[in-house]
Amino acid sequence: MKLIKLFILSLFITGIGCTEKKTIEKPLPTQKRPNVILFLADDQGWGDLSSNGNSNLHTPHIDAIKNYGASFDNFYVQPVCSPTRAELLTGRYFTRIGVYETSSGGERFNLNETTIAEILQETGYRTAAFGKWHNGMQPPYHPNSRGFEQFYGFASGHWGNYFSPMLENNGKLVQGKGFLVDDLTSQGINFIEKHANEPFFLYLPYNTPHSPMQVPDEYWNKMKHKPLDSLASVDKDEDLQFTKAALAMVENIDTNVGQIMTTIEQLGLEENTIIIYLSDNGPNAYRLNGGMKGKKGSVDECGVRTPFFIKWPGHIKNGLNLVDKAGSIDLLPTLCGLLEIPVSTNKPIDGKDLSALLLQKDTTVKERLIFNHWNGKTSVRNQQFRLDEENRLYDITIDRGQKIDVSHIYTTLRDSLIAAKENWQVETMTLHKNNDKRAFALGYPQAIYTQLPARDGIAHGAIIRSNQWPNDSFFTNWKSVNDSISWDVEVMEEGRFQVHFYYTCPEKDLGSIVELSFNGSKIPSKITEAHDPELLGMHNDRVPRMESYVKNFKALDLGTISLTKGNGILTLKALEVKKSQVGDFRLLQFKKVE
């Protein structure tokens, strides 16, 4: 009788599919669903693995996922970070869900989207994300509001220091411990050990090999004097030191992947754990990458083709190599298919369930198009060809370098792909910087902490950013009562909030009075403690960086402010500048007061 009931339940679970979100019953304890571990590298190219032919480095643990699982030879993401992450989580093209930039609010996907973490959480999974989020900092855009019960890392884009940096733990600011990728892995191991007897989804979006190029000595010393056997194409200006740093960082990732896999094996979870590895875009500089055209930021092959390896012992055949194209939009439906969970989302998804292909139950895949877009450029890929942003056509099966335009041979195909590209752009590209009315959220009812960094602020007067790239910048040159910093915010629920102001100020400039105000509520405070640390980063950089250097900022308790629900401009200004400057500013941290 029990077996009959289980059989009926399995038919019920596998037979349902809808586009309206619903609550799904948790499985019985005896029906523990497979665990899922998703590794996402940052700016790692397809060619940055020994299993893809790069003899310059050694990546045995990542390669093992490929060798003892399946790989997609034609897997496509988007050209930069935030769009790919949004697609992985939602199964929908980033252009239709509110993402159009990588900072200042444009990296957020809309609140009416459903994430894979929410689906799994509703089905009884414990969920965690440790690493670089890059899809919204303030709740309800924060990972804790998007299906992840635990988050440790940073919600911004690139980070300025990888050695014991300032991070957050479920919204609370904390100090990291050691090299960041190692720290994230330790958090992941603790999560696995804690929830070994429950189904869990562990998302590990690592922050490397994204610049700044920092890596522990153990990995750099192996690489810095090593002659490189394989280089980028002869017509590319490859920075060999940058390449060595990137490869050293990938070898560090490989070690960490190995530690996670060892933990799974030691706990006896290997047979019941799906492990996935991929990168969020192409390489962040010219280096060996299969002779493909472009790099990160490009809609050509090199900018959007990444490794995709998936391992599930006893279910996915060892060494299975799939030539069928797939993409980041397919992750959500494919995971739901493997786990026999309905795709229950608020919006129709763009991705396809490729679980039958992975399990070799059905090897026929219906032809479709995959679109890549960034910075005003769009390309489209079918199984054989890519139409680039200038409507040139390339046969990718024999020309990954996109050197021979064959559009004059396949004019009908070219014209149909042009029409498809134009239709896709009209259909999906509705939100952009000029019409985005979404304010920065403050006081979300289910959140204790809200962070408003310099990244999301607007400087007025003489105040300037520490760097042109906002994500890890701070404000400086604050010298006058006429200078100010503002944020366009929406207070989502009326309440009282304790506010901490993160600053630096040399002793000679102490005494300025700053004021925070919003819709009539004001709190002033005087800077009375000196804090003037040196800039950080350059001592750990293996090559010169383009991002801002950082430093450790001190928290000043501004006091408690009462905020009314609604939209308005939150303003930080000086009521009095005692000496030559107020100081440098990094962020405001709001804590809800009961």
Side-chain angles (χ1 to χ4, degrees):
M1 182 61 68
K2 185 176 181 181
L3 290 175
I4 293 173
K5 289 180 179 179
L6 293 176
F7 176 72
I8 293 172
L9 180 60
S10 70
L11 288 178
F12 177 77
I13 291 173
T14 56
I16 295 178
C18 65
T19 59
E20 291 187 358
K21 192 173 180 182
K22 63 176 66 176
T23 300
I24 305 168
E25 290 185 5
K26 294 183 179 181
L28 297 173
T30 56
Q31 296 175 286
K32 184 177 184 300
R33 293 189 187 275
N35 310 305
V36 179
I37 300 175
L38 174 60
F39 293 102
L40 181 65
D42 192 2
D43 287 3
Q44 179 189 347
W46 176 90
D48 293 337
L49 294 169
S50 49
S51 60
N52 282 342
N54 195 330
S55 59
N56 295 322
L57 79 168
H58 189 46
T59 53
H61 303 295
I62 300 171
D63 297 344
I65 304 174
K66 176 183 182 179
N67 296 334
Y68 296 99
S71 60
F72 277 96
D73 199 41
N74 294 286
F75 191 88
Y76 296 102
V77 296
Q78 294 299 341
V80 291
C81 310
S82 301
T84 294
R85 292 157 195 267
E87 292 186 355
L88 288 173
L89 291 166
T90 66
R92 284 162 50 81
Y93 280 117
F94 77 97
T95 46
R96 70 161 90 246
I97 63 177
V99 177
Y100 56 87
E101 284 187 352
T102 58
S103 66
S104 305
E107 78 283 5
R108 300 173 293 176
F109 58 87
N110 293 327
L111 297 178
N112 58 3
E113 300 294 335
T114 309
T115 70
I116 182 63
E118 290 173 308
I119 293 174
L120 295 184
Q121 192 174 51
E122 290 179 0
T123 319
Y125 277 73
R126 308 307 297 262
T127 58
F130 302 133
K132 170 182 170 178
W133 174 246
H134 208 180
N135 281 133
M137 177 177 289
Q138 297 82 17
Y141 296 96
H142 188 276
N144 286 144
S145 306
R146 310 306 296 248
F148 292 100
E149 61 183 287
Q150 284 186 251
F151 174 69
Y152 177 87
F154 59 99
S156 183
H158 61 259
W159 219 225
N161 178 33
Y162 295 165
F163 290 88
S164 301
M166 178 178 68
L167 301 172
E168 61 163 287
N169 186 3
N170 289 348
K172 183 178 181 180
L173 294 174
V174 296
Q175 198 74 30
K177 298 178 181 178
F179 187 63
L180 184 49
V181 178
D182 301 343
D183 191 10
L184 301 173
T185 298
S186 295
Q187 294 288 332
I189 291 172
N190 291 338
F191 175 79
I192 293 169
E193 292 174 343
K194 182 178 179 180
H195 300 294
N197 295 321
E198 304 169 88
F200 61 78
F201 173 42
L202 173 59
Y203 178 36
L204 284 167
Y206 289 142
N207 58 292
T208 56
H210 194 296
S211 56
M213 309 307 285
Q214 297 183 345
V215 66
D217 290 341
E218 172 188 356
Y219 299 91
W220 177 242
N221 290 339
K222 282 174 53 182
M223 193 67 67
K224 65 180 178 180
H225 298 304
K226 184 177 181 179
L228 300 182
D229 299 324
S230 305
L231 303 176
S233 303
V234 292
D235 60 338
K236 302 301 180 186
D237 185 16
E238 181 173 2
D239 183 336
L240 297 185
Q241 289 300 100
F242 192 99
T243 295
K244 289 179 180 182
L247 298 183
M249 294 161 96
V250 174
E251 288 199 344
N252 169 262
I253 292 176
D254 187 78
T255 297
N256 283 279
V257 169
Q259 291 176 358
I260 294 288
M261 293 172 69
T262 297
T263 301
I264 291 295
E265 293 165 6
Q266 291 174 342
L267 292 171
L269 300 175
E270 187 177 14
E271 301 294 320
N272 200 42
T273 301
I274 298 170
I275 298 178
I276 300 170
Y277 187 91
L278 75 158
S279 180
D280 63 354
N281 46 249
N284 48 0
Y286 290 116
R287 52 183 180 265
L288 178 72
N289 206 45
M292 293 183 284
K293 180 182 180 182
K295 61 177 180 176
K296 174 185 177 178
S298 164
V299 295
D300 292 314
E301 283 283 297
C302 188
V304 296
R305 181 187 178 214
T306 78
F308 184 92
F309 307 151
I310 179 168
K311 173 177 173 281
W312 189 14
H315 298 269
I316 295 177
K317 180 181 176 182
N318 289 358
L320 178 65
N321 183 41
L322 300 167
V323 297
D324 304 271
K325 68 182 182 306
S328 45
I329 54 174
D330 300 326
L331 181 73
L332 183 150
T334 299
L335 270 179
C336 287
L338 291 173
L339 300 172
E340 299 183 342
I341 292 174
V343 177
S344 179
T345 58
N346 286 327
K347 301 276 188 174
I349 61 171
D350 294 306
K352 302 299 180 184
D353 177 4
L354 302 177
S355 60
L357 181 62
L358 283 167
L359 300 174
Q360 294 289 276
K361 292 180 178 179
D362 185 354
T363 58
T364 59
V365 177
K366 186 178 179 181
E367 177 59 274
R368 59 166 171 154
L369 303 177
I370 289 181
F371 298 89
N372 297 108
H373 174 81
W374 190 243
N375 198 26
K377 298 179 179 180
T378 304
S379 70
V380 56
R381 178 82 152 85
N382 71 7
Q383 186 58 41
Q384 184 175 353
F385 296 92
R386 179 173 294 281
L387 182 80
D388 76 0
E389 71 271 14
E390 296 184 13
N391 295 331
R392 294 170 297 204
L393 189 69
Y394 301 96
D395 184 347
I396 299 302
T397 61
I398 58 174
D399 183 22
R400 290 230 187 242
Q402 296 173 238
K403 296 180 179 179
I404 304 173
D405 181 2
V406 296
S407 57
H408 63 288
I409 302 174
Y410 302 96
T411 55
T412 301
L413 173 63
R414 179 201 62 193
D415 293 344
S416 68
L417 292 177
I418 291 173
K421 179 168 71 169
E422 292 174 347
N423 290 338
W424 180 84
Q425 290 175 150
V426 171
E427 178 194 350
T428 71
M429 295 171 59
T430 57
L431 188 68
H432 47 80
K433 188 171 185 177
N434 293 332
N435 68 357
D436 187 359
K437 303 301 182 184
R438 299 173 300 176
F440 292 105
L442 177 57
Y444 180 58
Q446 282 75 51
I448 297 174
Y449 299 98
T450 303
Q451 186 182 148
L452 285 177
R455 183 197 77 156
D456 296 333
I458 299 174
H460 306 274
I463 297 175
I464 59 174
R465 286 194 184 278
S466 58
N467 186 271
Q468 64 173 319
W469 308 111
N471 277 322
D472 197 37
S473 65
F474 57 89
F475 283 129
T476 188
N477 203 49
W478 188 357
K479 298 183 176 182
S480 166
V481 294
N482 297 317
D483 300 335
S484 64
I485 303 163
S486 67
W487 295 262
D488 179 12
V489 304
E490 178 188 359
V491 177
M492 306 191 76
E493 183 180 69
E494 181 177 346
R496 296 172 63 243
F497 300 85
Q498 182 183 24
V499 186
H500 282 94
F501 164 88
Y502 282 75
Y503 75 97
T504 65
C505 179
E507 188 169 1
K508 66 182 180 64
D509 290 318
L510 286 177
S512 294
I513 300 174
V514 296
E515 178 190 77
L516 182 69
S517 62
F518 178 81
N519 288 353
S521 294
K522 300 178 180 180
I523 48 171
S525 188
K526 188 174 186 178
I527 300 175
T528 59
E529 292 187 44
H531 182 64
D532 190 24
E534 294 183 355
L535 289 172
L536 299 173
M538 63 285 292
H539 303 302
N540 290 319
D541 288 356
R542 305 305 182 178
V543 295
R545 66 171 63 190
M546 62 179 182
E547 299 89 356
S548 176
Y549 292 114
V550 296
K551 52 185 174 179
N552 294 320
F553 287 79
K554 185 177 181 62
L556 168 64
D557 187 353
L558 292 183
T560 301
I561 189 169
S562 295
L563 300 178
T564 56
K565 183 177 179 180
N567 290 72
I569 302 299
L570 184 80
T571 301
L572 182 66
K573 66 179 183 179
L575 299 179
E576 180 181 350
V577 180
K578 196 70 174 179
K579 300 291 177 60
S580 64
Q581 63 167 328
V582 176
D584 293 342
F585 166 79
R586 179 67 177 83
L587 64 91
L588 295 172
Q589 176 80 326
F590 292 77
K591 181 180 180 182
K592 189 176 296 183
V593 178
E594 295 296 335

